[in-house]
Amino acid sequence: MLKVGLTGGIGSGKSAVARRLAECGAVVIDSDRVAREVVAPGTEGLAEIVAAFSDRVLDADGALDRAALGALVFADETARRRLEAITHPRVRARSAELAAAAEPDAIVVNDVPLLVEVGLAPTYHLVVVVQTEVATRLARLARDRGMDRAEAERRIAAQADDARRRAAADVLLTNDGSLADLHAAVDALWRERLRPYEANLRERRPARSDRVVLAEADPTWPQQYARLAARIRHAVAPADLRIDHIGSTAVPGLAAKDVIDIQLTVPTLADADGPLAERLAAAGFPRLPGEWWDNPRPPGSGRWEKRLHGSADPGRPVHLHVRPVDSPGWRYALLMRDHLRADPDQRAAYLVLKRELAASAPDSVTWTTAKDPWFDEEHLRAEQWAAQTGWRP
């Protein structure tokens, strides 16, 4: 099933997004609600909290006084971490039980306030972050929760800042407008990305486009790669496999097709099959059907075989090249990237070629074939550069 992590700072409107997703048909697991459940009267969770913080955190009925506990932990990082060590494992375990009970074709949305803070982003197929200006959040906390400004500011400061949440976001929903605006954005996300993503994931079907559209260099490509790499690393664990950002989106300032190329290094090509391929598919990176290889450099030698996976996410095209360590294709991908990063003249020449071909080669097969002569020459230049500089992959 498709697993979506939803987060946002306190007062951002995350709960409104969760409610709208539930109306669309998502199975929403509210971590705050689960957190209350695991520390309800009579639970081991509550007993451990009392042992750590004393019965000062209980109300007259013996239930957890969340305001009293909050006053203790939000001003004390050590205390907060002690509380998190008690509650977070229990919340994760209960959330996993609820997700396992959902239908196989469900879209499960985990509403997790501290998703970024506790490093859970790589465990989801997609992370949605709700972002709202701090002034708006302060006003909402005063209006909706009766929270005074000093307490609201302490709560906001105790969470990740907007920059950290943006870095974790596959989807950023800005909630500074009306509720109708927010609902429209959520509806579009559900219709255009989440539903197709779920179907692709279930069918182990990569989302593909054979059209060649050249995009201007995007400074967020490396950050997008980092999110994808973390997801892949989580999927293949405990194996500790090398993962690299390759291709044009790995070269700063270079226009490219908006496809993130990633190289996953395996000991042998046989290791790319079986359980590894299934783990990648389950994480949202299904294998493309058929046989795949790279054209050899220089031409004439045997083809460089590989495995090629794509992305089930229609909103983030990916080519995941699985190549054996020290194989010619593996080395070539790293060498071309590093040489283009180091040589501005060749980077400029390649950009000119790409712009010319984008106008005349509208499909990916023609595009790839038309670039071969230039890359045959570039390979020689790159090898000379590697010998002169002592480059190693």
Side-chain angles (χ1 to χ4, degrees):
M1 61 187 67
L2 183 68
K3 296 180 291 185
V4 178
L6 171 65
T7 194
I10 185 171
S12 64
K14 174 179 56 62
S15 296
V17 172
R19 285 192 296 271
R20 188 63 174 183
L21 285 168
E23 291 170 4
C24 289
V27 174
V28 176
I29 299 172
D30 185 338
S31 291
D32 275 342
R33 185 176 301 170
V34 173
R36 289 183 175 87
E37 178 185 323
V38 300
V39 296
T43 61
E44 292 181 0
L46 181 59
E48 195 169 340
I49 288 175
V50 171
F53 298 101
S54 84
D55 58 8
R56 291 180 299 161
V57 298
L58 297 178
D59 63 18
D61 298 322
L64 183 65
D65 185 334
R66 297 175 69 86
L69 180 61
L72 287 176
V73 303
F74 279 105
D76 184 337
E77 183 176 353
T78 300
R80 187 173 76 249
R81 293 191 181 280
R82 183 187 303 174
L83 175 64
E84 290 170 354
I86 296 169
T87 60
H88 288 177
R90 291 177 167 85
V91 170
R92 287 196 294 269
R94 179 56 179 154
S95 297
E97 290 178 0
L98 294 171
E103 295 297 322
D105 62 349
I107 297 173
V108 177
V109 176
N110 286 79
D111 179 350
V112 187
L114 299 180
L115 182 151
V116 174
E117 289 84 343
V118 297
L120 291 177
T123 67
Y124 298 102
H125 294 105
L126 199 76
V127 171
V128 178
V129 171
V130 185
Q131 179 174 288
T132 307
E133 293 291 340
V134 171
T136 304
R137 294 164 62 189
L138 290 170
R140 287 176 182 166
L141 292 171
R143 181 193 66 204
D144 301 336
R145 307 193 194 186
M147 196 177 292
D148 66 56
R149 186 180 182 89
E151 177 63 13
E153 288 176 341
R154 280 196 297 271
R155 296 291 184 99
I156 290 173
Q159 296 181 331
D161 60 23
D162 286 344
R164 281 185 64 195
R165 277 192 288 265
R166 280 195 300 270
D170 299 291
V171 177
L172 190 65
L173 293 176
T174 301
N175 185 26
D176 292 309
S178 68
L179 184 60
D181 292 337
L182 183 64
H183 283 178
V186 173
D187 292 350
L189 171 65
W190 178 262
R191 180 179 62 252
E192 298 169 10
R193 192 161 184 180
L194 298 186
R195 288 286 300 276
Y197 195 169
E198 185 282 321
N200 288 342
L201 182 68
R202 179 163 32 90
E203 299 293 334
R204 298 296 193 259
R205 180 176 58 222
R208 294 193 65 192
S209 173
D210 290 328
R211 291 183 63 245
V212 174
V213 178
L214 204 61
E216 293 304 316
D218 184 342
T220 71
W221 277 334
Q223 193 174 74
Q224 294 181 53
Y225 156 76
R227 289 196 296 270
L228 295 163
R231 210 161 273 148
I232 293 166
R233 190 169 290 109
H234 178 76
V236 303
D240 185 16
L241 302 179
R242 176 172 172 173
I243 304 172
D244 289 281
H245 189 189
I246 60 171
S248 292
T249 61
V251 180
L254 190 60
K257 292 189 297 180
D258 188 15
V259 179
I260 304 295
D261 281 278
I262 301 172
Q263 180 165 273
L264 177 64
T265 302
V266 291
T268 69
L269 205 53
D271 294 298
D273 302 325
L276 178 64
E278 176 53 32
R279 287 200 295 271
L280 290 172
F285 303 96
R287 178 176 291 181
L288 274 68
E291 296 184 357
W292 294 89
W293 62 89
D294 300 305
N295 292 331
R297 316 284 177 185
S301 56
R303 67 188 189 185
W304 296 344
E305 293 188 7
K306 64 180 178 181
R307 301 292 184 261
L308 184 63
H309 291 242
S311 171
D313 178 7
R316 178 62 273 164
V318 171
H319 288 159
L320 176 57
H321 309 260
V322 185
R323 297 183 174 107
V325 64
D326 293 328
S327 63
W330 174 87
R331 181 182 183 279
Y332 176 79
L334 299 170
L335 174 60
M336 291 302 101
R337 178 201 65 188
D338 290 351
H339 183 234
L340 287 175
R341 284 175 172 177
D343 191 328
D345 291 337
Q346 292 309 316
R347 192 163 62 244
Y350 184 37
L351 179 57
V352 170
L353 173 69
K354 286 161 74 81
R355 294 196 188 284
E356 291 174 351
L357 293 180
S360 60
D363 64 89
S364 59
V365 174
T366 306
W367 165 269
T368 300
T369 303
K371 291 193 297 182
D372 276 347
W374 189 86
F375 269 104
D376 289 340
E377 296 180 1
E378 166 60 10
H379 175 250
L380 299 176
R381 290 188 291 264
E383 288 291 3
Q384 292 174 353
W385 171 79
Q388 291 168 358
T389 61
W391 174 87
R392 294 290 183 273

